Amino acid sequence: MAQRHSPAVPHGAPLLAISFLACVATGLELSINNHPSDFPLSTKPGHSVSLSCLVHNSSQAEQLLWYRGDGQVGLKDGNKVNISNICIYPVNESDNGVTFTCRLARDRAVQVSVILDVEFPPQLSGEETLQVEEEKDVTLTCNSKSNPQAQTAWYKDNNYLVLKQGHHEIHQTSEVFQLSIRKIQKSDNGTYTCVVESALGKGTKDFHLIVEEKKPVFPKEAVIAAIVVVTVTVFFGIVARKDKLFKVW
């Protein structure tokens, strides 16, 4: 009887098997609120946001992890397998731009994220009264937070501020709107208003700039020299008259 031989197994078979298993593992997908890829989610302060992460293409129980930014979110035991839910309440301005990510525990490369887009009207703050001497520099800092992006402007005594080159400078970032005035003069005295306006509203903040007269420069060196001269003179005067002083005593 002829013997049947099993086909030879090529040396690369284990590697092929591992590759096949990797393909099976990466076939897993996650979704948040039925979104299979990263997406922004618009909301407003005071609202609540519910996020539901679901495993797709899995034939076994898969554990899930949630992250807020880089920090892991604590989950209860019954809220980790195949489907996991979290709730953000109340939403506030500091949640704007924060990323919430759902990851597969055994392969954290399998993930999906949602970026919170918290919309709120302009919120302004800053030091309200500033007293500065003539010829000195001053910076009015208007701390401004808003979403969506807002239009900004400076007013002086209720009139639009016309910027003078070399005298006024504007500096602006996403949360700071500054007006710098170089070598201020008496004419710079007044109320400056920071105006920030977006589609959701308008914010204003007044800054009262009080320009004081320039104080005379106190000649410290001359005064110290005079004190030293007087002290030395008195000392030597006492030494020169010490015999007469002892006679009195």
Side-chain angles (χ1 to χ4, degrees):
M1 180 182 290
Q3 293 183 346
R4 301 178 63 182
H5 296 280
S6 300
V9 178
H11 293 292
L15 179 60
L16 291 174
I18 293 172
S19 299
F20 175 75
L21 291 175
C23 290
V24 172
T26 54
L28 291 173
E29 291 182 354
L30 304 180
S31 68
I32 295 179
N33 293 5
N34 296 321
H35 290 266
S37 56
D38 297 353
F39 70 101
L41 179 61
S42 295
T43 183
K44 287 182 169 57
H47 290 195
S48 65
V49 170
S50 296
L51 303 177
S52 179
C53 182
L54 180 64
V55 179
H56 300 272
N57 305 327
S58 174
S59 58
Q60 65 182 47
E62 296 287 354
Q63 186 171 345
L64 297 171
L65 304 172
W66 275 103
Y67 288 81
R68 183 187 193 277
D70 295 328
Q72 189 170 343
V73 177
L75 300 173
K76 294 183 179 179
D77 290 337
N79 188 29
K80 296 180 180 180
V81 180
N82 289 344
I83 185 169
S84 180
N85 302 288
I86 62 171
C87 180
I88 302 99
Y89 178 81
V91 173
N92 57 52
E93 292 82 354
S94 63
D95 293 317
N96 184 48
V98 173
T99 300
F100 287 85
T101 303
C102 179
R103 291 182 176 138
L104 198 66
R106 69 182 177 92
D107 184 359
R108 300 188 186 187
V110 180
Q111 65 176 40
V112 62
S113 299
V114 55
I115 303 95
L116 292 190
D117 179 28
V118 184
E119 297 181 340
F120 56 93
Q123 299 176 347
L124 310 182
S125 64
E127 187 178 354
E128 297 182 355
T129 302
L130 299 92
Q131 294 180 315
V132 187
E133 290 182 20
E134 287 182 283
E135 299 299 322
K136 290 191 175 181
D137 299 340
V138 66
T139 297
L140 311 180
T141 300
C142 180
N143 299 308
S144 169
K145 294 177 65 177
S146 64
N147 185 40
Q149 189 173 359
Q151 298 294 322
T152 55
W154 280 100
Y155 285 74
K156 181 179 184 292
D157 297 330
N158 297 321
N159 295 311
Y160 183 78
L161 178 63
V162 178
L163 302 179
K164 297 178 182 178
Q165 188 174 4
H167 189 56
H168 299 108
E169 288 183 13
I170 297 291
H171 304 278
Q172 187 169 2
T173 66
S174 59
E175 294 189 357
V176 175
F177 185 39
Q178 292 181 323
L179 170 65
S180 296
I181 306 175
R182 306 300 179 194
K183 294 185 178 181
I184 63 172
Q185 306 161 3
K186 276 291 186 178
S187 58
D188 294 315
N189 194 83
T191 298
Y192 292 78
T193 304
C194 170
V195 179
V196 180
E197 187 170 7
S198 74
L200 297 181
K202 179 180 179 180
T204 62
K205 180 71 178 178
D206 288 338
F207 296 82
H208 305 289
L209 178 60
I210 301 172
V211 181
E212 300 175 335
E213 290 186 2
K214 188 176 181 180
K215 296 176 182 177
V217 179
F218 193 68
K220 293 181 181 178
E221 293 80 4
V223 171
I224 293 173
I227 292 173
V228 171
V229 170
V230 170
T231 303
V232 172
T233 302
V234 171
F235 174 76
F236 282 108
I238 293 173
V239 171
R241 301 180 61 188
K242 65 177 189 241
D243 293 336
K244 195 175 289 186
L245 288 172
F246 283 139
K247 286 181 181 179
V248 172
W249 282 100

